[in-house]
Amino acid sequence: MDKKIKVLCFTDDAVGRDVEMLLPIRYFAERFLNCEFYHALNIDIHQIYRIKPDVILQANTIGSNLYFEISKIAHQQSIPVFALISEGNFRTDGSFDYWGFNRDKKFYQDYVCCWSERTAEFLKKEVPEAANKIVVTGGVGFDRYTIYKFMHKDEFLNKYNKKQYKKVIGYAGWAFGKLDHPRGRSELLIWAKGDKSKLVWIEEQRKKVRDVLEHAIISNKDTLFILKQHPQENAPERPEPVKNEMNELAHYENVIYLCSEESIHDLISVSDLWTCFESTTALESWLMNKQTIFINPEKDFNRDPLYKGSALVQSSEEFQKLINEFFSIGEIKDFFEHEKKSMREKLIADVIGYGDGMNHLRAAYYFQKTIKNSQFSTRNSQFKFHFWHWLVYILLRIAGPLYNRAIYSRLWKFKKHLWVFENYNMEKLHRLYEKYTRFFDEFYKKDYLQNKFVFKNNFMQNIKLFNNSK
């Protein structure tokens, strides 16, 4: 039997967005590309020296200093890197910093995997010297909305002892809580292009959205409201809860306020109606056939065009009107207008490329080419020992088993890295993958996946995809 290809996969957490992007590629690579996977947090860089991988897989190379450092180390040591893009729905008007934390302004991965033709063409013009490695794969993390089976409403209500509710409205938080700590304010200023007056505007919007939500919560006591905090709203060095548009409403009986306790796809699944101030979860909701409402007290501001595919309200009265309409006739008429329906189709193509559940196959095509290129290239990977990376690895293995959140959150250095001690062993990721495997098994057995997609389009012609798979 051929020697297995060792893939070292780095993520910023053991669950969440970046993990969801990479697990579909893992399934495909294990099943069809003779790969075995090793997982590590991106702070655990010594794993490169320990594992000595044939290829490194990452969710991105620009989203943090750690992601960038790994890609540069891999390049310096002649280890092939395959990376996706975590925030692939970026603006192409020149306002988006597509280099992020990449200080060298060079792509060290073999391919730059864009979500859409729109963003790919933009990058090719901006970085012409890298045009030959810029490809379109679609948004891989969105495949789960086609492949997985999610939590049912009854299961969720039982779990949180809220069985008395039959109606559920979900809300995805914005980054209002970033106003509550220095790092967050600096990030918001980048969004505001340095205009400090925008921070005042953000606080005004926070209060207005809070008031709209509170009015709806009070006026609809027979409806459960699931309020979901934005995943990047807090800062690692500040474990205390932030003040956002939702936390002041958590005391109401018909409210469940969640941070990272549940996956966003499960929350969308159990909700009858999905709402937000501004969030890509609106698009995810469309993929799950959910109707969406944007709560925008000021509707004209600089943001992504996703709101154009949703119903939009500015006040408590307008919000209540749509709630009444939805629960009385089962739909929001404005949401199904021809213009909005066409806009949703366009936005799905512009944002994630494809909504067919096969973006991970498109990415796997280039992942396989990365593997083959490395096998037939003359570069010899080097695995250099680095004392600081080794020290981090050792400290994790010493301090990790002794972890106590109450104690570690009071220690200056440790409190910035609570997420590391809670996830360095990657147990949550392994449990998640075990759960997802059966969904992939079922998805890959479908005849149309083999016949319609693979052979008619010759898309995966270099991979013997379904040999002995039926």
Side-chain angles (χ1 to χ4, degrees):
M1 184 176 179
D2 293 340
K3 178 184 174 182
K4 285 189 175 294
I5 298 160
K6 290 195 291 186
V7 181
L8 177 54
C9 183
F10 284 105
T11 51
D12 60 355
D13 205 335
V15 295
R17 177 193 63 184
D18 288 359
V19 171
E20 298 288 353
M21 293 167 57
L22 298 181
L23 291 185
I25 294 178
R26 172 181 169 177
Y27 179 90
F28 181 91
E30 285 182 336
R31 183 167 177 180
F32 300 111
L33 301 182
N34 195 33
C35 293
E36 61 178 341
F37 273 66
Y38 302 83
H39 289 274
L41 293 179
N42 54 15
I43 198 173
D44 202 3
I45 300 176
H46 180 68
Q47 296 289 358
I48 297 176
Y49 184 81
R50 283 191 68 251
I51 303 300
K52 295 179 172 55
D54 297 301
V55 62
I56 288 175
L57 176 63
Q58 297 184 187
N60 68 74
T61 60
I62 66 168
S64 70
N65 278 319
L66 290 170
Y67 274 140
F68 170 65
E69 184 178 357
I70 292 168
S71 70
K72 187 170 183 178
I73 289 171
H75 174 74
Q76 292 170 341
Q77 299 182 14
S78 299
I79 308 167
V81 176
F82 184 80
L84 300 175
I85 296 181
S86 296
E87 296 284 358
N89 179 29
F90 56 82
R91 299 180 187 181
T92 54
D93 60 1
S95 63
F96 178 76
D97 180 12
Y98 49 82
W99 290 117
F101 285 87
N102 184 334
R103 299 179 298 276
D104 295 351
K105 293 182 169 47
K106 294 180 181 178
F107 294 120
Y108 290 125
Q109 66 267 44
D110 283 16
Y111 295 98
V112 180
C113 299
C114 294
W115 286 9
S116 66
E117 293 287 351
R118 173 182 63 86
T119 54
E121 290 306 311
F122 170 77
L123 281 183
K124 287 177 181 178
K125 292 177 182 177
E126 291 289 303
V127 195
E129 65 274 17
N132 64 327
K133 62 167 59 179
I134 296 172
V135 298
V136 178
T137 62
V140 174
F142 294 88
D143 283 0
R144 65 189 189 272
Y145 296 104
T146 301
I147 298 173
Y148 302 165
K149 291 181 173 60
F150 302 115
M151 188 182 295
H152 292 289
K153 184 194 294 187
D154 291 343
E155 181 183 353
F156 180 87
L157 296 175
N158 288 333
K159 181 176 181 178
Y160 288 92
N161 196 26
K162 298 289 185 179
K163 292 182 287 186
Q164 69 271 31
Y165 296 100
K166 305 300 181 186
K167 306 174 185 177
V168 179
I169 295 176
Y171 173 85
W174 198 68
F176 290 110
K178 288 189 175 185
L179 284 172
D180 206 26
H181 54 89
R183 178 188 294 196
R185 285 194 293 275
S186 65
E187 291 173 354
L188 288 175
L189 277 173
I190 293 174
W191 173 84
K193 299 181 180 179
D195 184 358
K196 292 185 178 180
S197 67
K198 281 293 183 181
L199 299 184
V200 176
W201 178 87
I202 290 171
E203 174 61 10
E204 292 172 349
Q205 297 302 300
R206 181 191 73 81
K207 291 178 179 178
K208 290 178 179 179
V209 174
R210 177 202 62 194
D211 292 345
V212 171
L213 288 171
E214 185 170 32
H215 183 274
I217 290 165
I218 293 172
S219 302
N220 300 273
K221 295 186 183 299
D222 64 339
T223 303
L224 180 67
F225 287 80
I226 302 174
L227 309 181
K228 176 67 167 66
Q229 181 186 354
H230 190 282
Q232 296 178 332
E233 194 169 46
N234 216 330
E237 69 272 16
R238 189 185 185 282
E240 298 84 3
V242 295
K243 184 178 182 180
N244 54 32
E245 75 274 40
M246 298 170 286
N247 69 302
E248 296 172 286
L249 311 177
H251 65 281
Y252 285 103
E253 176 64 26
N254 59 330
V255 167
I256 296 178
Y257 176 50
L258 298 170
C259 298
S260 59
E261 296 88 344
E262 302 288 351
S263 298
I264 191 67
H265 48 243
D266 282 327
L267 298 184
I268 296 173
S269 176
V270 303
S271 298
D272 299 304
L273 184 62
W274 193 252
T275 65
C276 63
F277 173 74
E278 182 193 21
S279 175
T280 55
T281 60
L283 186 145
E284 296 166 47
S285 302
W286 303 339
L287 296 177
M288 296 176 70
N289 298 313
K290 301 285 182 174
Q291 298 170 52
T292 53
I293 299 174
F294 275 61
I295 303 173
N296 293 153
E298 182 179 320
K299 64 180 180 179
D300 296 320
F301 65 95
N302 186 25
R303 63 318 201 356
D304 289 324
L306 286 174
Y307 71 96
K308 295 180 180 179
S310 295
L312 189 151
V313 298
Q314 293 182 263
S315 66
S316 298
E317 292 73 23
E318 291 177 355
F319 191 34
Q320 187 59 52
K321 180 181 178 182
L322 293 191
I323 292 174
N324 292 341
E325 181 180 7
F326 177 80
F327 285 113
S328 63
I329 65 174
E331 67 176 43
I332 297 170
K333 293 179 181 178
D334 181 50
F335 181 83
F336 288 103
E337 285 186 353
H338 176 73
E339 183 179 349
K340 281 187 164 53
K341 184 178 179 181
S342 298
M343 180 57 68
R344 287 194 293 274
E345 294 173 354
K346 180 180 184 301
L347 287 168
I348 288 173
D350 284 350
V351 173
I352 65 170
Y354 311 89
D356 55 9
M358 300 179 191
N359 292 328
H360 70 288
L361 297 182
R362 297 178 176 95
Y365 173 76
Y366 295 103
F367 181 62
Q368 183 234 19
K369 293 187 73 171
T370 298
I371 294 171
K372 284 194 171 183
N373 290 342
S374 68
Q375 290 173 331
F376 293 104
S377 70
T378 57
R379 63 183 177 187
N380 294 313
S381 298
Q382 306 168 28
F383 303 98
K384 296 180 180 179
F385 178 84
H386 190 289
F387 176 77
W388 174 249
H389 297 158
W390 171 81
L391 185 59
V392 171
Y393 170 82
I394 293 298
L395 288 175
L396 275 177
R397 272 68 196 176
I398 294 173
L402 304 175
Y403 173 71
N404 181 293
R405 186 178 181 88
I407 296 174
Y408 280 35
S409 63
R410 293 185 175 92
L411 302 177
W412 176 64
K413 277 291 185 183
F414 281 11
K415 77 174 185 177
K416 294 183 179 181
H417 298 95
L418 297 183
W419 61 279
V420 176
F421 297 113
E422 292 173 352
N423 296 294
Y424 75 96
N425 56 18
M426 307 302 279
E427 287 182 0
K428 294 177 184 176
L429 183 148
H430 297 307
R431 289 199 298 269
L432 201 62
Y433 185 63
E434 184 179 355
K435 172 185 175 182
Y436 289 164
T437 297
R438 66 180 185 273
F439 300 143
F440 286 116
D441 288 342
E442 184 177 342
F443 183 70
Y444 274 60
K445 287 177 183 176
K446 294 179 180 178
D447 287 340
Y448 81 83
L449 181 61
Q450 179 175 352
N451 298 325
K452 178 180 177 181
F453 182 77
V454 179
F455 294 120
K456 287 188 178 179
N457 296 333
N458 293 319
F459 189 77
M460 304 297 290
Q461 58 185 345
N462 294 325
I463 301 175
K464 294 180 180 179
L465 180 56
F466 284 96
N467 281 358
N468 304 317
S469 67
K470 295 190 72 177

